[in-house]
Amino acid sequence: MTQTPLAEVPLPAPGLLIGTDRLAESSGGSAVHRFPATGEPDQPIPMAGAREIDFAVTAATAAAAEWRALTPDRRRDALLRLADVVDQHGDELVALSIRDSGFPLRIAALGPSRASGGLRYYAGWADKIVGDVVPTWSGPAFDYAVSEPIGVIGFFATWNTPVYNLGLTVAPALAAGNAIILKPSELAPYAYLRFGELCLEAGLPPGLVNVVPGGAEAGTALVEHPGVGKVHFTGGGTVGRRVAALAAEHLKPIDLELGGKSANLIFPDADLERAVAVSVDSIHGGSGQTCITAGRMIVHESVVDEVVEIAREQIARHVLGDPFDAGTTMGPVITEAARTRILGMVDRAIREGAELCAGAAAAVPGPGGDLAGGYFVEPTLLVGVHPDSELAQTEVYGPVLSVSTFGTESEAVALANGTPFGLSSYLQTRDVSRVHRMAARLSSGSVYVNGRGGIGPGMPFGGYKESGYGRLGGREGLMTFMQSKNVWISMDDD
């Protein structure tokens, strides 16, 4: 990476990226992006409407045909080139993702290597997609099945980890032979727009990756357009339900990666410092704004006092401040509305009987100075949270930890599984037999034991229950962007 001062990296020129064209004006109007750390507005962001979605589908359809016609080794090599280009421009992508979401440097800096790593992983799959020869009976015939790309994939792109997420979404879709339409929200347009430019610089066909920031009008048009073969949605459950209903109305396949309410089960035999850090670090890195945040600490009653004290000490060591500062461990939340919502949930939990052990129950002014207008929330620890309360059942998407207690394994499982969500679970114990017993009983798509494993490109990732369906990562993450075709050939010579 070049060592450009990150805060000085210029924003991409505003405009939609469709093929090689940058559209500075669009039928969807414009929106203002605000840097979450200061609340200051950036340049207006053109927003796609139905017309621009149609333009993007036309460009993607042409590029998909060109991309599919390439031999697998050429698609593999193109993805490897793109991975190299992402690494070379990593500092820009880091800076832009900080401007997008306010995530601190220590977290944003992971994005480019995770994106390029995913591209390299799936480049390795591009020339290894095979079919099957199928046994037949009731007459001589030859039957085979092949996996083919779907064509054009519409992505509702997440705002919280834009660069990190590319290796799990765009990479497998491209390796499978598809073209892409990325629809970021106005909350985080910059890193996606720069990535689209890098795809062109890496020599990918124009129109293979299109970036069209937009709101509800663009989202509706993307789902309804007959040229879009599949939709992948990452976001909250409320919007996800609407998108899924619209996709069903148009008989369009969709994958949903929705929210979570991850439990961190802490047993007395665990390394308590490490066990607590799993939760504390998860609310600091992205201000609790990730779907696998370990926000619910469910602690054995014999060690709860010790765990609470450790949590308070760890929270106190973290630094709230400028996300571009390497010393900052926690930045702002994404918007003023998000801050208001989070603080409202904390206030209601306290009124319902939870004890505030760290953080603030009222509006937080933030670090002050140049950051006084930012959307900061202090890391908050609440003890004695009732399992049926709003705070225990609803995704906070903010830097809030809750503590509940259990006495037996069965109670721990019931509490962990006792929400509508099922994305991830965390288990802290040295008892290997307990690990296997508990992992089998936890209703979540991922179980992390004695640490935070993240989301590697080879790991199938997705949710149970209201956390969605479909998988990213590994072979499953590739095949979700393909469709099977069966070919039956009669060998009867009569």
Side-chain angles (χ1 to χ4, degrees), residues 331-378:
V333 297
I334 188 67
T335 62
E336 177 62 33
R339 184 172 77 162
T340 300
R341 176 185 54 77
I342 293 162
L343 293 171
M345 292 181 71
V346 171
D347 184 58
R348 288 190 292 276
I350 293 170
R351 292 203 305 267
E352 292 170 1
E355 178 187 358
L356 180 68
C357 292
V364 179
D370 293 340
L371 305 181
Y375 313 130
F376 290 89
V377 177
E378 290 181 344

Side-chain angles (χ1 to χ4, degrees), residues 396-413:
V396 179
Y397 234 59
V400 179
L401 293 180
S402 66
V403 177
S404 304
T405 60
F406 70 90
T408 67
E409 283 187 16
S410 292
E411 290 173 355
V413 170

